[in-house]
Amino acid sequence: MKLKKTMKWVLALSFVTSPLLYSGQGTAKAAEINSIPNTTRYFKNYDNSFLSVSGYASFGVHDRSQYIDTPYYRQVKTEREFLQAIVDAQAGNVKVIEVAKDLNFGWKNLNLSADEAKKYRFITKYRDPMYGFTNPKLAASGVSQLKIDGVDGLTIFSKKGKTIRSAELNLQRSANDIVIRNLNFDGMWQWDDTGKHKEVGWTFIKINGANNVWIDHSKFTLGADGLIDTENGGSNITISWSQFGLPANEHPAEDSDIYQTIQFMEQKYAAGELNSDSVYYNMRNGGATKEEIMAYAAYHSKVHLTGSGDKDYVDYVSGSGLNYKDGNQRIRLTLAYNTYTNVGQRVPMIRQGTGHAYNLYLDNSTHYDILEKVAAIAEFGTDQLSRALNARNGASVAADTSVFNDINEPITGAEIQGLDTGYMEAPWDTLFHSAYNRNLIVNSRVTNQYGSYTGSSWDNNGENLFTKGFTWYDKSTIGNWAWSSHIVGSENMSKMNPPTEPFSFEYRDDEKLPYTYNVLPLNSVVPTVTEYAGANKVNLSPIGWLKTTYSSKGNN
C-alpha cells in the first residue's frame, strides 16, 4: 500500500528525531504511561543473554546440558527413532531428543504395524478434513496427533533447525518441564474452500494442561486451526524468539503446501468442478490469478488460543476427590521477541488467565497489499481480520515495547464481558457478564489504515489507534491494572454444576509480575527480532541449545 509505505518511512524518521507521539489525526501528545504497572524491566541492546529463558517458563524449566555424552541423550534420524525416544522419556531414561533429520509424522507416511501402533499408542491418526483434502501432500501423508504425557523433564531440539511435519504435538497435563527449541513446524494446512477455517482442528502444538513449557527459536508456518494453543489450565509457558506465519508470495516454492494445494484447486476450477459456493471459484471467476490467490493464502487466522472454553472457570474435581488442575485461572503465558506475519487474531486470546508480551513484531502489510491489489480477492476473501490482544472472562493481557504494522485492531473485545457475549453459550454469557477484561499496550507503535501512533493504549483516556477494535464500558480499568482476577467463592464451586447467579470478581491490583525482563528499545525491535526470531537463526552447539541461562559474552 503506497500510502502506508510512505507513512512507515515518516514514522521511522519521526521516532528517531522527535520525542513527540502522534495520534491518527496527527496531533502531538505526550504519553501518559510508558510501562506496565507492577513490573520491573530493563532496556538493553541485543546480546547473548537474550538467549536465556524469560518469562513464566523461567520458574520451571531446567538446563539439560549435563546430559551430553550420557545415555539420557538421544539423537534421532527417523520417525520411529523419535517415537522410541518418547517411550524412553516416559520411563525417565531419555532427557534430551536431538532431531538430526527432517521428520514426517503423517499417519499414512508412518504406516505403523499393529504391534507398533500398540507400542506407540500415544500417536494416533488425526481426523480428516470435513470436506476432504485439498492439499495432495497431506492426502498422501495423512496427519497425526502425538501426545506427550507422563514425562517430567525433556528437551526436544535440533542443531540445524530440522522440520517436524504433519503432526500436532499435544503436551498433556502429566507433562512437565518441556523445552522445544530450534525446530521448524510445517505440513498442517490446506485451502479451506468455505473460508471459515473450521474444517479441521490441526494445530502444531497444543499445551493440553502441561506445566512449565518453553518453546523457543522455532518457526511455525500455517495451520488449519491454531499455531500454539493452550487448554486445560496449562501454566508457566513462554514462547520466545519464534516466527509465526508467512509473507504473501505469488511464487512460493513448488514443494510448499500453498503451491501444492492451490495447484489442486486450479485443476478443479479448470475442470469445471467448482461452483459459486466455492471461494476459489469466485476469486478466479472474478479475475484473480492463481498466483495472486497463492499470495492471499499466506495468512493464518487463529494464532494463540489460550483457554479453550468458558466452562473451564474452575478446576475439575472428580467424584473421588482428585483435583485436576485444569481451570483457566491457572494460565500464565509469556510471549517474547516473536514475529507474526499475516495473522488474523489471538495474539494472544486468553480466558481468565494472565498474558504478558514484549518485543513482538506483527506485520500484516503484504496480506493487505494483495487485498488492495485484487478486487476479486478483496470481495470474496474472508481472511481480512488483523487483531492482536484479546482478554476475556476477567483475564489480563499486557504488551510492552512492540510494533504493530497493518494491525487494524491491536486490542479487540470489550472492557466488560457483558458487551462481548456473541460467541458465548448459556450460562457462561450470564455468569461472566460482569467480568472486567484488562488489556494494555505500552511504549509501542502502530501503523495501519487509520494512521500512526506511538505510546500507550491508556493515552487520551483510552481513545487512540491501539483501541480501535475495543469497546469501553466505563473505563474504570484505565490506570487500574490487575495482573490477575479471582472469582469470589470459586473454591466451593463445581465445574459440572455451575452457579446460577453471575460471578463476582476480585481483581489483584497489588500483585506484581513475578519476574523481571529485558526489552529491546522500540526502534531496534523490528531489525533485531527479524534477524534472530525463528529456527536456524542462531548458531549454537548441542550443549548450547540445552542451556537455559546465558551470559552476555559467553561461548555457547
Side-chain angles (χ1 to χ4, degrees):
M1 297 181 177
K2 293 181 180 178
L3 175 61
K4 290 180 184 174
K5 287 184 172 71
T6 301
M7 291 174 62
K8 290 169 194 169
W9 280 107
V10 172
L11 178 64
L13 290 171
S14 69
F15 184 79
V16 172
T17 60
S18 173
L20 295 178
L21 306 178
Y22 295 89
S23 73
Q25 292 70 41
T27 56
K29 178 176 174 56
E32 296 172 7
I33 178 175
N34 63 9
S35 63
I36 305 168
N38 293 328
T39 64
T40 302
R41 70 178 180 191
Y42 301 97
F43 282 95
K44 63 182 298 186
N45 294 320
Y46 181 84
D47 61 28
N48 219 44
S49 67
F50 278 85
L51 295 169
S52 302
V53 60
S54 57
Y56 283 110
S58 64
F59 294 108
V61 299
H62 293 89
D63 184 310
R64 277 182 269 277
S65 58
Q66 73 271 25
Y67 293 115
I68 293 283
D69 297 328
T70 75
Y72 292 97
Y73 187 103
R74 185 76 53 85
Q75 185 185 81
V76 302
K77 296 182 179 180
T78 70
E79 292 81 9
R80 282 166 171 76
E81 287 179 352
F82 185 95
L83 297 178
Q84 184 59 49
I86 294 296
V87 171
D88 295 336
Q90 290 172 328
N93 297 324
V94 164
K95 293 294 183 182
V96 176
I97 300 175
E98 179 193 348
V99 178
K101 296 287 185 180
D102 293 340
L103 302 177
N104 186 334
F105 288 103
W107 186 248
K108 293 180 182 178
N109 187 66
L110 283 175
N111 193 27
L112 298 177
S113 68
D115 287 343
E116 287 176 323
K118 184 176 180 181
K119 181 179 182 181
Y120 305 131
R121 60 186 180 275
F122 50 84
I123 188 166
T124 56
K125 178 182 182 294
Y126 215 130
R127 69 178 177 87
D128 293 341
M130 188 181 305
Y131 302 112
F133 284 97
T134 60
N135 184 341
K137 292 182 71 172
L138 292 187
S141 72
V143 179
S144 298
Q145 184 181 73
L146 196 163
K147 294 182 178 179
I148 296 178
D149 59 1
V151 175
D152 190 1
L154 177 66
T155 295
I156 303 171
F157 84 102
S158 172
K159 182 182 176 182
K160 296 295 184 180
K162 297 301 181 181
T163 298
I164 290 179
R165 183 173 176 84
S166 300
E168 173 186 283
L169 298 187
N170 195 296
L171 310 182
Q172 301 287 288
R173 65 164 56 94
S174 58
N176 176 62
D177 186 6
I178 306 296
V179 177
I180 297 171
R181 303 188 75 186
N182 202 39
L183 284 163
N184 279 295
F185 292 86
D186 201 5
M188 295 288 275
W189 176 87
Q190 68 169 21
W191 176 266
D192 179 353
D193 209 27
T194 70
K196 297 178 181 178
H197 300 290
K198 294 192 177 197
E199 278 196 305
V200 70
W202 300 334
T203 300
F204 286 116
I205 297 178
K206 185 168 290 185
I207 303 170
N208 193 23
N211 296 289
N212 303 305
V213 177
W214 183 27
I215 300 168
D216 177 67
H217 279 90
S218 292
K219 179 180 179 180
F220 303 83
T221 54
L222 304 176
D225 192 5
L227 292 179
I228 300 177
D229 290 348
T230 298
E231 299 179 356
N232 295 320
S235 192
N236 284 358
I237 300 158
T238 295
I239 304 168
S240 59
W241 291 109
S242 290
Q243 183 178 356
F244 297 90
L246 295 170
N249 182 0
E250 293 189 17
H251 303 285
E254 292 189 4
D255 65 346
S256 68
D257 287 326
I258 288 179
Y259 184 91
Q260 291 289 318
T261 202
I262 297 304
Q263 286 292 108
F264 175 85
M265 295 303 301
E266 180 66 16
Q267 291 170 8
K268 296 190 69 163
Y269 174 74
E273 298 175 10
L274 304 178
N275 57 37
S276 59
D277 292 331
S278 160
V279 172
Y280 192 86
Y281 170 87
N282 287 325
M283 287 183 176
R284 288 289 279 119
N285 198 51
T289 67
K290 69 177 183 180
E291 289 78 16
E292 290 166 340
I293 298 175
M294 287 183 191
Y296 165 80
Y299 174 96
H300 181 86
S301 177
K302 297 170 282 190
V303 184
H304 300 308
L305 169 70
T306 313
S308 61
D310 304 310
K311 66 183 183 303
D312 296 328
Y313 71 102
V314 291
D315 295 342
Y316 171 70
V317 180
S318 70
S320 63
L322 184 62
N323 185 1
Y324 293 94
K325 295 185 176 181
D326 61 358
N328 288 336
Q329 79 277 1
R330 299 185 64 253
I331 291 171
R332 297 292 182 271
L333 171 69
T334 300
L335 304 175
Y337 321 114
N338 299 323
T339 67
Y340 298 86
T341 304
N342 297 333
V343 297
Q345 56 187 317
R346 302 180 179 177
V347 190
M349 187 274 274
I350 297 186
R351 289 181 170 97
Q352 272 189 274
T354 299
H356 179 215
Y358 46 97
N359 284 167
L360 304 186
Y361 174 36
L362 292 80
D363 182 11
N364 279 7
S365 60
T366 60
H367 184 70
Y368 277 98
D369 284 346
I370 200 70
L371 289 172
E372 185 177 77
K373 173 186 174 183
V374 186
I377 289 179
E379 180 179 357
F380 297 107
T382 58
D383 295 334
Q384 301 196 23
L385 291 179
S386 56
R387 297 171 170 172
L389 278 64
N390 184 1
R392 299 180 63 86
N393 296 5
S396 297
V397 183
D400 192 345
T401 315
S402 295
V403 176
F404 303 83
N405 188 27
D406 275 331
I407 305 298
N408 291 330
E409 300 177 28
I411 297 175
T412 190
E415 183 185 24
I416 189 170
Q417 193 60 51
L419 299 177
D420 186 20
T421 59
Y423 295 98
M424 299 178 74
E425 297 179 356
W428 314 107
D429 54 348
T430 297
L431 290 175
F432 281 105
H433 188 276
S434 300
Y436 275 88
N437 304 314
R438 283 170 166 78
N439 298 270
L440 176 61
I441 297 173
V442 301
N443 192 44
S444 295
R445 182 168 73 236
V446 56
T447 302
N448 59 30
Q449 62 181 315
Y450 304 113
S452 299
Y453 186 75
T454 301
S456 160
S457 60
W458 282 354
D459 293 352
N460 196 37
N461 197 32
E463 299 297 331
N464 56 65
L465 290 186
F466 289 120
T467 60
K468 196 74 175 178
F470 191 68
T471 301
W472 294 101
Y473 178 59
D474 58 11
K475 297 189 176 181
S476 63
T477 58
I478 293 179
N480 181 16
W481 184 253
W483 270 115
S484 64
S485 64
H486 172 71
I487 297 173
V488 176
S490 60
E491 299 82 359
N492 301 316
M493 294 180 186
S494 166
K495 181 178 292 189
M496 308 309 292
N497 185 28
T500 57
E501 296 298 319
F503 295 136
S504 296
F505 286 82
E506 293 175 347
Y507 301 99
R508 294 166 176 167
D509 53 13
D510 60 344
E511 181 178 351
K512 294 184 178 180
L513 187 71
Y515 56 83
T516 63
Y517 60 104
N518 294 327
V519 290
L520 302 160
L522 184 59
N523 61 352
S524 67
V525 169
V526 172
T528 305
V529 299
T530 299
E531 181 175 358
Y532 294 111
N536 221 23
K537 291 293 191 75
V538 296
N539 185 21
L540 298 178
S541 65
I543 196 170
W545 283 114
L546 298 181
K547 296 169 65 175
T548 56
T549 304
Y550 303 79
S551 64
S552 297
K553 299 180 180 180
N555 295 321
N556 299 297

